[in-house]
Amino acid sequence: TAYIWVIHTVLCCVQVCAITFCGWLGDYVGNSRMMVIGCCLIVFGAVPCMGAMGEGSIAAAVLGQGSLMCIISVLAGNVPTWMVRAFPVHIRFTTIAVGYNAGQAAFGGTASILATLIYSQTGSTMLIGLYHACLAGVAMCCVVWSERRRRSEDDPLKWMVDKVRDVSSNGGGDRSEA
C-alpha cells in the first residue's frame, strides 16, 4: 500500500503543474472563459472519472483520479483571479472572504460526508460524480450570469446606486409631468 501514497503524491505534483498552467492560460484566454470550460469538463467528466476510481483496479483508479485532478485544475488555476475581478474594490475583501469561506464550509466541508453517505447507501462512485457534475452545472450558470452582468455594467451594484439616486431626486417616487 506504500506505492499508493507514492502514486497519489505524483498525481498531486502533476496537479500543481496543471493549476499553474491553467492559471497562466487563463491570463490569455480569460478567467471567466476558463471557469466555464472547467465547469463543462466537470459536468461531463466527473461521472466517468469517479466511475473509473470505483472499478477496483489500480490503473483505472489512477487514470480516474489523475483525470479529475487535471479537470479540477482548470478551476483552481482561475478562481482566485475571477473572484478579484467579480467584485468592486470597496466591497471585495468582505465579499470574497464571506462568500468563499461560506461556500467552502457548506460544500467543501460536507463533500466527504455526502460522498461517504452516497457510497455507503448505493455502493456507486458514479453517483458521487453526478453530485460533482450537478454542483459544477450550478457554478457554471453562476459564472455565466456574473460575467453577463459585469459586461453590462462597470459596477455590479450600479443599478442599486442609480435606483437610490432616482428615488431621492424624485422625492420618494416617480412623478410624471402633466
Side-chain angles (χ1 to χ4, degrees):
T1 60
Y3 64 90
I4 292 173
W5 289 107
V6 172
I7 291 170
H8 181 70
T9 302
V10 169
L11 288 174
C12 286
C13 291
V14 169
Q15 187 179 28
V16 166
C17 295
I19 289 170
T20 305
F21 174 75
C22 290
W24 172 82
L25 188 60
D27 288 341
Y28 292 97
V29 175
N31 298 112
S32 295
R33 187 170 290 144
M34 290 294 288
M35 296 278 290
V36 170
I37 290 168
C39 288
C40 284
L41 288 172
I42 293 174
V43 165
F44 295 109
V47 173
C49 288
M50 291 301 294
M53 284 188 252
E55 283 294 313
S57 76
I58 291 178
V62 168
L63 180 65
Q65 181 182 2
S67 299
L68 191 59
M69 290 173 95
C70 287
I71 289 171
I72 290 171
S73 297
V74 176
L75 292 175
N78 289 282
V79 164
T81 306
W82 179 83
M83 285 190 302
V84 168
R85 285 186 43 233
F87 302 105
V89 175
H90 62 281
I91 62 167
R92 183 174 294 154
F93 179 78
T94 303
T95 312
I96 292 173
V98 172
Y100 182 77
N101 289 314
Q104 285 295 325
F107 297 107
T110 60
S112 59
I113 296 168
L114 287 172
T116 303
L117 180 66
I118 290 169
Y119 185 76
S120 69
Q121 296 297 314
T122 65
S124 172
T125 55
M126 291 176 76
L127 289 175
I128 299 167
L130 184 61
Y131 172 68
H132 289 147
C134 290
L135 288 178
V138 170
M140 182 173 51
C141 291
C142 292
V143 169
V144 169
W145 175 81
S146 172
E147 187 63 18
R148 284 186 180 168
R149 184 173 178 90
R150 188 186 68 77
R151 288 181 185 209
S152 68
E153 303 171 346
D154 292 334
D155 184 355
L157 300 176
K158 183 178 182 287
W159 64 272
M160 186 184 300
V161 172
D162 291 344
K163 184 70 174 171
V164 169
R165 191 175 300 133
D166 289 345
V167 169
S168 63
S169 67
N170 289 335
D174 288 338
R175 294 183 189 169
S176 50
E177 293 185 37

